mmCIF file of all heavy atoms in Angstrom:
data_model
loop_
_atom_site.group_PDB
_atom_site.id
_atom_site.type_symbol
_atom_site.label_atom_id
_atom_site.label_comp_id
_atom_site.label_asym_id
_atom_site.label_seq_id
_atom_site.Cartn_x
_atom_site.Cartn_y
_atom_site.Cartn_z
ATOM 1 N N ASN A 1 -85.854 -66.116 144.316
ATOM 2 C CA ASN A 1 -84.976 -65.183 145.019
ATOM 3 C C ASN A 1 -85.669 -64.428 146.157
ATOM 4 O O ASN A 1 -85.006 -63.979 147.096
ATOM 5 C CB ASN A 1 -84.387 -64.176 144.035
ATOM 6 C CG ASN A 1 -83.374 -64.800 143.093
ATOM 7 O OD1 ASN A 1 -82.762 -65.816 143.413
ATOM 8 N ND2 ASN A 1 -83.205 -64.204 141.920
ATOM 9 N N ILE A 2 -87.001 -64.269 146.077
ATOM 10 C CA ILE A 2 -87.687 -63.460 147.095
ATOM 11 C C ILE A 2 -88.639 -64.261 147.977
ATOM 12 O O ILE A 2 -89.028 -63.785 149.049
ATOM 13 C CB ILE A 2 -88.468 -62.294 146.453
ATOM 14 C CG1 ILE A 2 -89.622 -62.815 145.595
ATOM 15 C CG2 ILE A 2 -87.558 -61.389 145.648
ATOM 16 C CD1 ILE A 2 -90.597 -61.718 145.182
ATOM 17 N N ALA A 3 -89.038 -65.458 147.566
ATOM 18 C CA ALA A 3 -90.067 -66.203 148.295
ATOM 19 C C ALA A 3 -89.557 -66.699 149.639
ATOM 20 O O ALA A 3 -88.426 -67.171 149.759
ATOM 21 C CB ALA A 3 -90.548 -67.378 147.451
ATOM 22 N N HIS A 4 -90.407 -66.579 150.662
ATOM 23 C CA HIS A 4 -90.074 -67.196 151.944
ATOM 24 C C HIS A 4 -90.727 -68.570 152.026
ATOM 25 O O HIS A 4 -91.561 -68.927 151.183
ATOM 26 C CB HIS A 4 -90.464 -66.302 153.123
ATOM 27 C CG HIS A 4 -91.892 -65.848 153.137
ATOM 28 N ND1 HIS A 4 -92.960 -66.703 153.372
ATOM 29 C CD2 HIS A 4 -92.439 -64.609 152.946
ATOM 30 C CE1 HIS A 4 -94.090 -66.016 153.353
ATOM 31 N NE2 HIS A 4 -93.802 -64.749 153.077
ATOM 32 N N LYS A 5 -90.371 -69.353 153.003
ATOM 33 C CA LYS A 5 -90.819 -70.743 153.117
ATOM 34 C C LYS A 5 -92.349 -70.834 153.087
ATOM 35 O O LYS A 5 -93.043 -70.093 153.780
ATOM 36 C CB LYS A 5 -90.293 -71.368 154.406
ATOM 37 C CG LYS A 5 -90.555 -72.877 154.511
ATOM 38 C CD LYS A 5 -89.934 -73.434 155.766
ATOM 39 C CE LYS A 5 -90.114 -74.951 155.843
ATOM 40 N NZ LYS A 5 -91.520 -75.355 155.937
ATOM 41 N N ASP A 6 -92.842 -71.730 152.245
ATOM 42 C CA ASP A 6 -94.271 -72.036 152.083
ATOM 43 C C ASP A 6 -95.071 -70.914 151.416
ATOM 44 O O ASP A 6 -96.291 -71.027 151.269
ATOM 45 C CB ASP A 6 -94.934 -72.391 153.422
ATOM 46 C CG ASP A 6 -94.393 -73.690 154.002
ATOM 47 O OD1 ASP A 6 -93.961 -74.556 153.214
ATOM 48 O OD2 ASP A 6 -94.401 -73.837 155.242
ATOM 49 N N GLN A 7 -94.406 -69.821 151.002
ATOM 50 C CA GLN A 7 -95.113 -68.770 150.279
ATOM 51 C C GLN A 7 -95.462 -69.266 148.883
ATOM 52 O O GLN A 7 -94.652 -69.913 148.221
ATOM 53 C CB GLN A 7 -94.253 -67.517 150.192
ATOM 54 C CG GLN A 7 -94.985 -66.290 149.655
ATOM 55 C CD GLN A 7 -94.105 -65.048 149.667
ATOM 56 O OE1 GLN A 7 -92.888 -65.136 149.524
ATOM 57 N NE2 GLN A 7 -94.713 -63.878 149.853
ATOM 58 N N VAL A 8 -96.677 -68.950 148.427
ATOM 59 C CA VAL A 8 -97.170 -69.433 147.142
ATOM 60 C C VAL A 8 -97.377 -68.256 146.191
ATOM 61 O O VAL A 8 -98.062 -67.290 146.533
ATOM 62 C CB VAL A 8 -98.494 -70.213 147.302
ATOM 63 C CG1 VAL A 8 -98.980 -70.735 145.951
ATOM 64 C CG2 VAL A 8 -98.321 -71.364 148.292
ATOM 65 N N PHE A 9 -96.788 -68.339 145.008
ATOM 66 C CA PHE A 9 -96.996 -67.358 143.948
ATOM 67 C C PHE A 9 -97.854 -68.017 142.864
ATOM 68 O O PHE A 9 -97.507 -69.102 142.376
ATOM 69 C CB PHE A 9 -95.670 -66.902 143.347
ATOM 70 C CG PHE A 9 -94.893 -65.967 144.234
ATOM 71 C CD1 PHE A 9 -94.207 -66.451 145.340
ATOM 72 C CD2 PHE A 9 -94.869 -64.603 143.979
ATOM 73 C CE1 PHE A 9 -93.494 -65.595 146.164
ATOM 74 C CE2 PHE A 9 -94.150 -63.739 144.806
ATOM 75 C CZ PHE A 9 -93.470 -64.228 145.898
ATOM 76 N N ILE A 10 -98.950 -67.366 142.509
ATOM 77 C CA ILE A 10 -99.894 -67.937 141.541
ATOM 78 C C ILE A 10 -100.003 -66.991 140.350
ATOM 79 O O ILE A 10 -100.416 -65.837 140.486
ATOM 80 C CB ILE A 10 -101.269 -68.158 142.178
ATOM 81 C CG1 ILE A 10 -101.134 -69.109 143.380
ATOM 82 C CG2 ILE A 10 -102.251 -68.734 141.153
ATOM 83 C CD1 ILE A 10 -102.345 -69.165 144.257
ATOM 84 N N ILE A 11 -99.620 -67.495 139.186
ATOM 85 C CA ILE A 11 -99.597 -66.699 137.966
ATOM 86 C C ILE A 11 -100.775 -67.089 137.082
ATOM 87 O O ILE A 11 -100.890 -68.239 136.642
ATOM 88 C CB ILE A 11 -98.275 -66.903 137.207
ATOM 89 C CG1 ILE A 11 -97.096 -66.504 138.104
ATOM 90 C CG2 ILE A 11 -98.262 -66.106 135.907
ATOM 91 C CD1 ILE A 11 -95.749 -66.855 137.540
ATOM 92 N N ARG A 12 -101.659 -66.142 136.829
ATOM 93 C CA ARG A 12 -102.793 -66.375 135.930
ATOM 94 C C ARG A 12 -102.374 -66.034 134.504
ATOM 95 O O ARG A 12 -101.828 -64.970 134.263
ATOM 96 C CB ARG A 12 -103.990 -65.513 136.347
ATOM 97 C CG ARG A 12 -104.447 -65.734 137.796
ATOM 98 C CD ARG A 12 -105.678 -64.906 138.102
ATOM 99 N NE ARG A 12 -105.436 -63.483 137.895
ATOM 100 C CZ ARG A 12 -105.286 -62.598 138.864
ATOM 101 N NH1 ARG A 12 -105.347 -62.962 140.119
ATOM 102 N NH2 ARG A 12 -105.075 -61.318 138.584
ATOM 103 N N ASP A 13 -102.678 -66.949 133.581
ATOM 104 C CA ASP A 13 -102.251 -66.733 132.195
ATOM 105 C C ASP A 13 -103.383 -67.019 131.217
ATOM 106 O O ASP A 13 -103.204 -67.691 130.208
ATOM 107 C CB ASP A 13 -101.024 -67.611 131.885
ATOM 108 C CG ASP A 13 -100.344 -67.218 130.579
ATOM 109 O OD1 ASP A 13 -100.558 -66.078 130.116
ATOM 110 O OD2 ASP A 13 -99.616 -68.057 130.014
ATOM 111 N N GLY A 14 -104.574 -66.511 131.539
ATOM 112 C CA GLY A 14 -105.717 -66.583 130.631
ATOM 113 C C GLY A 14 -106.005 -67.980 130.124
ATOM 114 O O GLY A 14 -106.124 -68.937 130.906
ATOM 115 N N PRO A 15 -106.090 -68.142 128.794
ATOM 116 C CA PRO A 15 -106.428 -69.449 128.209
ATOM 117 C C PRO A 15 -105.359 -70.518 128.446
ATOM 118 O O PRO A 15 -105.612 -71.705 128.223
ATOM 119 C CB PRO A 15 -106.573 -69.140 126.721
ATOM 120 C CG PRO A 15 -105.793 -67.879 126.501
ATOM 121 C CD PRO A 15 -105.951 -67.102 127.762
ATOM 122 N N ASN A 16 -104.177 -70.100 128.907
ATOM 123 C CA ASN A 16 -103.116 -71.071 129.212
ATOM 124 C C ASN A 16 -103.212 -71.625 130.632
ATOM 125 O O ASN A 16 -102.386 -72.441 131.035
ATOM 126 C CB ASN A 16 -101.743 -70.423 129.017
ATOM 127 C CG ASN A 16 -101.503 -70.012 127.581
ATOM 128 O OD1 ASN A 16 -101.806 -70.762 126.654
ATOM 129 N ND2 ASN A 16 -100.983 -68.808 127.387
ATOM 130 N N GLY A 17 -104.202 -71.172 131.389
ATOM 131 C CA GLY A 17 -104.392 -71.687 132.734
ATOM 132 C C GLY A 17 -103.583 -70.928 133.764
ATOM 133 O O GLY A 17 -103.335 -69.728 133.629
ATOM 134 N N SER A 18 -103.147 -71.619 134.786
ATOM 135 C CA SER A 18 -102.402 -70.981 135.871
ATOM 136 C C SER A 18 -101.163 -71.790 136.225
ATOM 137 O O SER A 18 -101.103 -73.004 135.995
ATOM 138 C CB SER A 18 -103.291 -70.819 137.111
ATOM 139 O OG SER A 18 -103.694 -72.087 137.596
ATOM 140 N N PHE A 19 -100.179 -71.085 136.804
ATOM 141 C CA PHE A 19 -98.927 -71.694 137.225
ATOM 142 C C PHE A 19 -98.663 -71.246 138.660
ATOM 143 O O PHE A 19 -98.698 -70.053 138.951
ATOM 144 C CB PHE A 19 -97.772 -71.238 136.327
ATOM 145 C CG PHE A 19 -98.038 -71.455 134.866
ATOM 146 C CD1 PHE A 19 -98.789 -70.538 134.140
ATOM 147 C CD2 PHE A 19 -97.546 -72.569 134.218
ATOM 148 C CE1 PHE A 19 -99.047 -70.736 132.787
ATOM 149 C CE2 PHE A 19 -97.781 -72.773 132.870
ATOM 150 C CZ PHE A 19 -98.535 -71.851 132.149
ATOM 151 N N ALA A 20 -98.413 -72.183 139.556
ATOM 152 C CA ALA A 20 -98.149 -71.846 140.945
ATOM 153 C C ALA A 20 -96.773 -72.355 141.349
ATOM 154 O O ALA A 20 -96.329 -73.420 140.892
ATOM 155 C CB ALA A 20 -99.226 -72.435 141.851
ATOM 156 N N TYR A 21 -96.103 -71.574 142.194
ATOM 157 C CA TYR A 21 -94.774 -71.945 142.683
ATOM 158 C C TYR A 21 -94.786 -71.922 144.209
ATOM 159 O O TYR A 21 -95.201 -70.940 144.822
ATOM 160 C CB TYR A 21 -93.714 -70.967 142.158
ATOM 161 C CG TYR A 21 -93.607 -70.965 140.654
ATOM 162 C CD1 TYR A 21 -94.287 -70.014 139.895
ATOM 163 C CD2 TYR A 21 -92.852 -71.925 139.989
ATOM 164 C CE1 TYR A 21 -94.202 -70.010 138.507
ATOM 165 C CE2 TYR A 21 -92.758 -71.929 138.602
ATOM 166 C CZ TYR A 21 -93.430 -70.975 137.871
ATOM 167 O OH TYR A 21 -93.354 -70.982 136.499
ATOM 168 N N LYS A 22 -94.326 -73.025 144.805
ATOM 169 C CA LYS A 22 -94.221 -73.133 146.253
ATOM 170 C C LYS A 22 -93.006 -73.984 146.596
ATOM 171 O O LYS A 22 -92.899 -75.135 146.144
ATOM 172 C CB LYS A 22 -95.489 -73.758 146.847
ATOM 173 C CG LYS A 22 -95.425 -73.942 148.363
ATOM 174 C CD LYS A 22 -96.666 -74.635 148.895
ATOM 175 C CE LYS A 22 -96.570 -74.826 150.404
ATOM 176 N NZ LYS A 22 -97.758 -75.535 150.947
ATOM 177 N N ASN A 23 -92.101 -73.426 147.384
ATOM 178 C CA ASN A 23 -90.907 -74.164 147.818
ATOM 179 C C ASN A 23 -90.188 -74.834 146.644
ATOM 180 O O ASN A 23 -89.825 -76.015 146.690
ATOM 181 C CB ASN A 23 -91.277 -75.209 148.870
ATOM 182 C CG ASN A 23 -91.820 -74.581 150.146
ATOM 183 O OD1 ASN A 23 -91.510 -73.423 150.462
ATOM 184 N ND2 ASN A 23 -92.631 -75.322 150.884
ATOM 185 N N ASN A 24 -90.015 -74.061 145.554
ATOM 186 C CA ASN A 24 -89.294 -74.511 144.346
ATOM 187 C C ASN A 24 -90.033 -75.594 143.556
ATOM 188 O O ASN A 24 -89.477 -76.180 142.627
ATOM 189 C CB ASN A 24 -87.888 -75.014 144.688
ATOM 190 C CG ASN A 24 -87.013 -73.913 145.244
ATOM 191 O OD1 ASN A 24 -87.097 -72.763 144.822
ATOM 192 N ND2 ASN A 24 -86.172 -74.250 146.216
ATOM 193 N N LEU A 25 -91.281 -75.862 143.907
ATOM 194 C CA LEU A 25 -92.095 -76.794 143.129
ATOM 195 C C LEU A 25 -93.067 -76.009 142.265
ATOM 196 O O LEU A 25 -93.549 -74.941 142.660
ATOM 197 C CB LEU A 25 -92.871 -77.738 144.049
ATOM 198 C CG LEU A 25 -92.048 -78.696 144.909
ATOM 199 C CD1 LEU A 25 -92.973 -79.508 145.824
ATOM 200 C CD2 LEU A 25 -91.211 -79.638 144.044
ATOM 201 N N GLU A 26 -93.370 -76.534 141.078
ATOM 202 C CA GLU A 26 -94.272 -75.867 140.150
ATOM 203 C C GLU A 26 -95.548 -76.684 139.986
ATOM 204 O O GLU A 26 -95.505 -77.907 139.844
ATOM 205 C CB GLU A 26 -93.592 -75.692 138.787
ATOM 206 C CG GLU A 26 -94.446 -74.944 137.762
ATOM 207 C CD GLU A 26 -93.717 -74.728 136.448
ATOM 208 O OE1 GLU A 26 -92.702 -75.426 136.210
ATOM 209 O OE2 GLU A 26 -94.154 -73.883 135.671
ATOM 210 N N TYR A 27 -96.682 -76.006 140.007
ATOM 211 C CA TYR A 27 -97.986 -76.632 139.826
ATOM 212 C C TYR A 27 -98.645 -75.984 138.608
ATOM 213 O O TYR A 27 -98.903 -74.776 138.611
ATOM 214 C CB TYR A 27 -98.867 -76.438 141.057
ATOM 215 C CG TYR A 27 -98.281 -76.989 142.336
ATOM 216 C CD1 TYR A 27 -97.326 -76.256 143.055
ATOM 217 C CD2 TYR A 27 -98.673 -78.224 142.837
ATOM 218 C CE1 TYR A 27 -96.773 -76.748 144.235
ATOM 219 C CE2 TYR A 27 -98.132 -78.725 144.021
ATOM 220 C CZ TYR A 27 -97.189 -77.982 144.715
ATOM 221 O OH TYR A 27 -96.650 -78.470 145.873
ATOM 222 N N ILE A 28 -98.924 -76.775 137.592
ATOM 223 C CA ILE A 28 -99.528 -76.259 136.360
ATOM 224 C C ILE A 28 -100.969 -76.750 136.288
ATOM 225 O O ILE A 28 -101.234 -77.960 136.379
ATOM 226 C CB ILE A 28 -98.750 -76.728 135.123
ATOM 227 C CG1 ILE A 28 -97.295 -76.233 135.200
ATOM 228 C CG2 ILE A 28 -99.415 -76.224 133.840
ATOM 229 C CD1 ILE A 28 -96.403 -76.779 134.110
ATOM 230 N N THR A 29 -101.898 -75.822 136.124
ATOM 231 C CA THR A 29 -103.315 -76.168 136.058
ATOM 232 C C THR A 29 -103.898 -75.612 134.760
ATOM 233 O O THR A 29 -103.940 -74.394 134.570
ATOM 234 C CB THR A 29 -104.084 -75.572 137.250
ATOM 235 O OG1 THR A 29 -103.412 -75.922 138.468
ATOM 236 C CG2 THR A 29 -105.503 -76.119 137.298
ATOM 237 N N PRO A 30 -104.341 -76.476 133.841
ATOM 238 C CA PRO A 30 -104.870 -75.985 132.563
ATOM 239 C C PRO A 30 -106.198 -75.257 132.734
ATOM 240 O O PRO A 30 -106.961 -75.538 133.662
ATOM 241 C CB PRO A 30 -105.042 -77.272 131.747
ATOM 242 C CG PRO A 30 -105.188 -78.358 132.764
ATOM 243 C CD PRO A 30 -104.339 -77.942 133.922
ATOM 244 N N ALA A 31 -106.450 -74.315 131.844
ATOM 245 C CA ALA A 31 -107.728 -73.598 131.853
ATOM 246 C C ALA A 31 -108.816 -74.477 131.265
ATOM 247 O O ALA A 31 -108.547 -75.448 130.554
ATOM 248 C CB ALA A 31 -107.602 -72.305 131.046
ATOM 249 N N ILE A 32 -110.058 -74.134 131.573
ATOM 250 C CA ILE A 32 -111.203 -74.811 130.977
ATOM 251 C C ILE A 32 -111.513 -74.135 129.645
ATOM 252 O O ILE A 32 -111.616 -72.907 129.573
ATOM 253 C CB ILE A 32 -112.415 -74.750 131.923
ATOM 254 C CG1 ILE A 32 -112.084 -75.496 133.223
ATOM 255 C CG2 ILE A 32 -113.658 -75.349 131.263
ATOM 256 C CD1 ILE A 32 -113.127 -75.351 134.301
#
């Protein structure tokens, strides 16, 4: 609802890794 074009939101979630959102796409990266 608030993101503008190509803006990236990156959510850090500790041992669950990180989640990024860009242009309605989701990128999930596991933690080490």
Side-chain angles (χ1 to χ4, degrees):
N1 290 335
I2 66 168
H4 54 69
K5 188 177 183 296
D6 294 332
Q7 189 177 31
V8 181
F9 286 76
I10 301 167
I11 301 171
R12 303 183 302 254
D13 193 20
N16 297 316
S18 63
F19 307 82
Y21 298 96
K22 178 183 179 181
N23 296 335
N24 296 324
L25 296 177
E26 183 177 17
Y27 302 81
I28 300 173
T29 309
I32 297 172

